[in-house]
Amino acid sequence: MSNFVWCHGPSCHKSHTQDRIRGVKGSKVLRTKKVKQDQYNSGERLSMYSYFCSQGCYNDFANTYVREVIALHPRTEALETPIEVTKVQDTYWNNETYMRTEIKTVDNNGG
Ligand SMILES: [Zn+2]
């Protein structure tokens, strides 16, 4: 028994590749690819590769359904990450010194 889902790319079945060809002579079709569910793309490793056969199919899906996806998780205000900015002296490969800016994330939640 194989465990798979059909690729969710809206145009997956239109790509001209040999591995999509199904049927007998005279009634052949290009079919949506199967996405095998295995240890690399299921369970805790669930990702876009669990539902799409390729980056191209994922991009097609995202571009086709972007309004619906954004409607599910709208961003109505900017997010912020508390940081601490310091100047740190560092050295180049030739021992010449320079100042660089170091940005550290600050945990303001008492953690
Ligand atoms: Zn696909």
Side-chain angles (χ1 to χ4, degrees):
M1 188 183 109
S2 65
N3 195 12
F4 71 90
V5 300
W6 295 107
C7 174
H8 283 56
S11 301
C12 190
H13 65 291
K14 293 178 182 174
S15 290
H16 292 192
T17 62
Q18 289 193 10
D19 60 351
R20 288 177 170 88
I21 298 173
R22 294 292 182 274
V24 295
K25 191 173 183 180
S27 62
K28 288 191 181 293
V29 295
L30 291 169
R31 182 178 291 166
T32 298
K33 287 182 78 168
K34 289 179 178 179
V35 180
K36 185 181 172 190
Q37 303 296 291
D38 58 26
Q39 65 193 26
Y40 303 108
N41 68 359
S42 60
E44 292 196 1
R45 288 185 159 180
L46 196 70
S47 71
M48 59 164 273
Y49 293 108
S50 308
Y51 300 101
F52 300 94
C53 74
S54 66
Q55 182 80 50
C57 278
Y58 173 77
N59 289 344
D60 288 346
F61 180 89
N63 289 325
T64 301
Y65 299 110
V66 63
R67 283 187 182 87
E68 289 152 88
V69 172
I70 295 301
L72 287 173
H73 299 280
R75 167 126 320 126
T76 55
E77 59 188 36
L79 303 179
E80 295 181 343
T81 302
I83 58 169
E84 192 176 281
V85 180
T86 54
K87 294 287 183 186
V88 178
Q89 185 173 326
D90 213 339
T91 52
Y92 290 117
W93 62 273
N94 61 359
N95 284 337
E96 196 176 312
T97 61
Y98 68 100
M99 298 301 286
R100 65 177 168 82
T101 303
E102 189 170 273
I103 300 174
K104 286 184 179 171
T105 303
V106 176
D107 183 5
N108 284 342
N109 297 324

